[in-house]
Amino acid sequence: MNNIWKTGPIALGLGWAEVLLGGWLIISPFVLGFADEKLGLLNNIISGIVLILLSLASSRNGLMRIFIILEAGWLYGSAFGWAARVSKEPYLWNGLIVAVLVIVACVASETPYPPGYRAKE
């Protein structure tokens, strides 16, 4: 029986970029100087961990990419939603830039070709 919710193992592809972006989210509060803002610190660390886990899980099931896009949406929305409470401009720009890069990496890692496809010469 065919399970429509499992696409099967796929190459991680640009998922490594998503893993690196997740790592950046974890260390960015300390690098950019908003680690003293508890809300920004917790949001970035939890979002970074979730992004890494979703990126790795997407290599087992390609439909997990949907949740990566939702995570990027969360990053984008929380950058605007909590920017006033965090009161640090680097928090806003970091969230926006990482969200856009995650979406680009997620979309770019998809391919319309089946595994093992070779173009005819």
Side-chain angles (χ1 to χ4, degrees):
M1 177 175 256
N2 190 6
N3 185 355
I4 64 170
W5 296 108
K6 181 153 176 64
T7 61
I10 60 172
L12 192 56
L14 283 178
W16 286 110
E18 296 161 4
V19 171
L20 291 175
L21 287 169
W24 168 252
L25 280 173
I26 293 171
I27 65 168
S28 65
F30 306 103
V31 174
L32 298 177
F34 59 89
D36 57 333
E37 300 284 345
K38 193 171 190 171
L39 184 62
L41 176 69
L42 287 175
N43 184 54
N44 275 25
I45 290 176
I46 292 170
S47 295
I49 292 169
V50 168
L51 182 60
I52 291 170
L53 293 175
L54 287 175
S55 298
L56 295 175
S58 71
S59 68
R60 304 277 301 153
N61 186 347
L63 290 176
M64 294 299 288
R65 298 243 179 247
I66 296 168
F67 296 109
I68 295 173
I69 296 292
L70 291 175
E71 174 70 19
W74 170 260
L75 286 170
Y76 194 83
S78 67
F80 284 115
W82 290 343
R85 293 185 67 190
V86 173
S87 71
K88 302 278 185 174
E89 194 170 314
Y91 174 77
L92 171 71
W93 287 107
N94 184 52
L96 296 177
I97 292 169
V98 171
V100 169
L101 290 175
V102 167
I103 291 172
V104 168
C106 189
V107 171
S109 66
E110 290 298 314
T111 177
Y113 303 110
Y117 174 81
R118 292 186 153 242
K120 293 181 183 180
E121 294 179 2

